Amino acid sequence: MIPTFVDADDIRAQFSAAMSEMYRAEVPQYSALLDLVAEVNQRTLQANPDRSDLAAADSGRLAVERHGAIRVGTPQELATLRRIFAVMGMKPVGYYDLAVAGVPVHSTAFRPTEFSALQKNPFRVFTSLLRLELIDDAALREEARRILASRSIFTARALELVARCEDQGGLTRDEAQAFVAEVLETFRWHSHATVTAETYHKLHDAHRLIADVVCFKSTHINHLTPRTLDIDAAQEAMLRRGLNAKDVIEGPPQRKHPILLRQTSFKALEESVVFLNEATAGTHTARFGEIEQRGMALTKTGRALYDRLLFSAREAQAAGANYGKSLREAFTAFPDDLLTIHAQELAYFQYHVADPAAFAKETEWDLHGWVRRGIVALTPITYEDFLPVSAAGIFQSNLGGTAQKHYSASASQASFEADLQAPVLDELALYEAMQGESVRELKAKFDAAMAAR
Ligand code: OOG
Ligand code: NI
């Protein structure tokens, strides 16, 4: 008998739910954040039933939508994570160099890539690999390498189940359930460090993040982020409830039609840690809370405009201007109505026939004209990825302190991919394909209408 396998989308949904349950128990503020975001989303939906980015709520994905972040120490750990995430239908998308922001890692995001899979559960995990070569002190670098080499962050059963999935092409219900429970262990918080306080402090002095990656027996999930439909309202609610939110929302300013990604976070928790051979506990800060609002995915042209405007706002700030005000002013140059955004090809869209009677009378393919005349309606495609500058801002605010590190060694996507043992996918190509699929469907409808005449 051929066994029936659980759909990868279902394993991902189970895993994301289990992770959320675990984090809720570990970090009470996360639970508070979920309640707050659910309330804000409810209110936003009631107040703006026709906003273009609210389609996410209809699909049901909004209620379960989360992203997490982890940091690992070795190529082996990274490559194994790739295999684990593949079981859940998640692929590495995009390459992010954080060294430019003074953080000694480079990263990718594991996420589903198909529209239907994203609609079911868009769970994504921002995954960073420590760049040990950026530790200047050779002796310390070797010590970190030795500590990392001696740990195994996956359970034996998790590794067995991944191999089984690769061999047989899927997991049965019982295996999938076991897989979720076993993999969860890798992301759990451990309050016992694997090193002495002295080693911890040496690594911590080189960079806080190095200590966070090296000194524990696995890779704790460091935040789990729900998606809000109104981050300004959510930010206010965070402050009202005494959650220590950072003062700047990262990313673009508030708009009628949101683009890319806006994020804010609350400061990392100071958590008690027991070091090796130590009677009294010390502390470690790593885990924090974050919320985000997602808007439409931008084309290369749209992204270039976004980058230029953000840069000019930062320059104005450096020259002494108020950042929020500079940002709003700069972004008046980014159109905020769907027709113009579409006409200028700044973002990716899906198309739907809005006026079937008029559509049936058309004799020439004229997508842009149909959109202008309201015969075809636009739904923006959601941005499913991250923004390196925001990510760097989030990293920095959570690493505490203001000491800026500068790393001159250039990042290397090629070496990251060698460590990952796979190429990372190009996010723009994925959005492009999604839009192309929608155009093809429309084309088929048009051809059918023509043939019926
Ligand atoms: C990851 C920070 C990046 C985001 O939302 O941009 C991130 C980390 O702190 O490990 O999650
Ligand atoms: Ni995040």
Side-chain angles (χ1 to χ4, degrees):
M1 199 184 81
I2 302 164
T4 15
F5 295 135
V6 182
D7 201 88
D9 292 341
D10 292 329
I11 306 181
R12 180 174 69 260
Q14 279 173 37
F15 183 73
S16 167
M19 185 87 109
S20 191
E21 249 346 278
M22 179 179 84
Y23 205 60
R24 211 191 251 280
E26 285 181 350
V27 179
Q29 290 92 328
Y30 168 69
S31 213
L33 215 51
L34 286 188
D35 294 345
L36 181 156
V37 163
E39 258 177 62
V40 167
N41 288 355
Q42 181 79 35
R43 255 186 285 131
T44 310
L45 279 169
Q46 277 160 4
N48 317 265
D50 52 0
R51 220 173 69 187
S52 62
D53 61 320
L54 304 192
D58 301 333
S59 83
R61 65 177 258 180
L62 184 68
V64 294
E65 183 156 355
R66 309 272 187 274
H67 85 248
I70 52 173
R71 306 151 181 173
V72 295
T74 68
Q76 185 62 38
E77 291 173 357
L78 181 68
T80 307
L81 280 168
R82 176 182 55 73
R83 294 171 56 214
I84 285 178
F85 285 127
V87 173
M88 303 187 243
M90 298 158 77
K91 294 182 189 146
V93 180
Y95 172 75
Y96 303 88
D97 167 24
L98 277 302
V100 291
V103 182
V105 303
H106 47 182
S107 322
T108 191
F110 289 97
R111 66 165 178 88
T113 55
E114 301 284 321
F115 183 69
S116 58
L118 287 160
Q119 292 297 86
K120 281 186 199 138
N121 189 312
F123 184 54
R124 29 180 120 68
V125 180
F126 193 90
T127 303
S128 299
L129 175 65
L130 182 62
R131 295 176 66 196
L132 275 180
E133 75 274 16
L134 296 182
I135 302 182
D136 294 330
D137 178 340
L140 190 61
R141 188 167 62 234
E142 275 325 300
E143 183 164 11
R145 206 186 297 281
R146 189 183 49 71
I147 297 168
L148 286 169
S150 68
R151 77 177 181 182
S152 168
I153 67 172
F154 306 103
T155 70
R157 180 92 178 109
L159 296 175
E160 226 174 83
L161 286 163
V162 174
R164 174 176 283 261
C165 181
E166 288 167 346
D167 285 350
Q168 64 186 16
L171 294 178
T172 64
R173 238 176 47 162
D174 288 352
E175 287 166 350
Q177 209 171 14
F179 173 84
V180 167
E182 293 290 331
V183 170
L184 207 58
E185 290 309 307
T186 297
F187 299 97
R188 194 182 288 288
W189 172 251
H190 294 279
S191 55
H192 282 71
T194 55
V195 300
T196 62
E198 193 198 341
T199 304
Y200 173 89
H201 287 296
K202 269 195 302 189
L203 291 166
H204 190 277
D205 287 348
H207 199 295
R208 283 167 83 112
L209 192 126
I210 300 173
D212 184 54
V213 176
V214 175
C215 302
F216 298 89
K217 84 176 198 207
S218 76
T219 169
H220 36 258
I221 180 107
N222 64 51
H223 65 286
L224 209 52
T225 300
R227 173 173 171 190
T228 176
L229 297 173
D230 185 345
I231 199 166
D232 301 282
Q235 164 100 338
E236 267 174 42
M238 273 166 82
L239 292 168
R240 262 201 315 277
R241 292 194 201 175
L243 292 164
N244 197 352
K246 64 202 282 284
D247 20 271
V248 175
I249 293 175
E250 304 279 351
Q254 185 175 37
R255 296 165 50 89
K256 190 148 158 265
H257 298 286
I259 52 172
L260 298 175
L261 180 60
R262 302 179 71 207
Q263 296 182 314
T264 185
S265 61
F266 67 72
K267 295 247 169 58
L269 313 169
E270 186 158 286
E271 297 176 282
S272 139
V273 168
V274 180
F275 293 106
L276 217 55
N277 312 326
E278 210 78 34
T280 54
T283 60
H284 177 66
T285 52
R287 299 189 303 165
F288 60 98
E290 181 189 57
I291 55 174
E292 68 188 8
Q293 179 172 355
R294 287 187 174 264
M296 57 190 112
L298 299 186
T299 59
K300 203 167 169 207
T301 316
R303 180 56 190 266
L305 178 59
Y306 168 83
D307 285 339
R308 190 156 58 71
L309 299 178
L310 192 71
F311 183 74
S312 81
R314 287 191 190 248
E315 272 196 323
Q317 180 193 29
N322 171 282
Y323 181 65
K325 187 160 173 284
S326 310
L327 193 68
R328 279 191 300 279
E329 277 169 14
F331 273 81
T332 54
F334 202 115
D336 199 7
D337 68 281
L338 291 187
L339 290 185
T340 312
I341 294 172
H342 181 255
Q344 296 184 7
E345 300 187 3
L346 298 175
Y348 292 105
F349 293 92
Q350 285 172 327
Y351 303 97
H352 315 273
V353 176
D355 184 344
F359 185 72
K361 292 199 199 98
E362 291 296 305
T363 52
E364 302 256 337
W365 175 262
D366 180 19
L367 182 54
H368 278 263
W370 295 337
V371 167
R372 269 197 311 276
R373 289 156 55 206
I375 296 174
V376 165
L378 298 169
T379 307
I381 293 176
T382 302
Y383 188 61
E384 306 288 351
D385 295 290
F386 293 83
L387 295 172
V389 178
S390 295
I394 298 278
F395 263 111
Q396 268 156 8
S397 68
N398 289 295
L399 292 169
T402 47
Q404 265 279 40
K405 296 257 175 188
H406 291 281
Y407 295 107
S408 51
S410 64
S412 160
Q413 180 167 343
S415 90
F416 185 82
E417 291 177 329
D419 290 346
L420 184 66
Q421 293 172 28
V424 299
L425 301 177
D426 170 15
E427 63 273 22
L428 291 186
L430 295 172
Y431 297 123
E432 184 95 44
M434 226 179 258
Q435 175 172 287
E437 177 65 29
S438 177
V439 172
R440 263 194 308 283
E441 278 168 21
L442 191 68
K443 186 84 179 32
K445 279 205 183 105
F446 177 67
D447 290 345
M450 288 290 275
R453 256 188 295 231

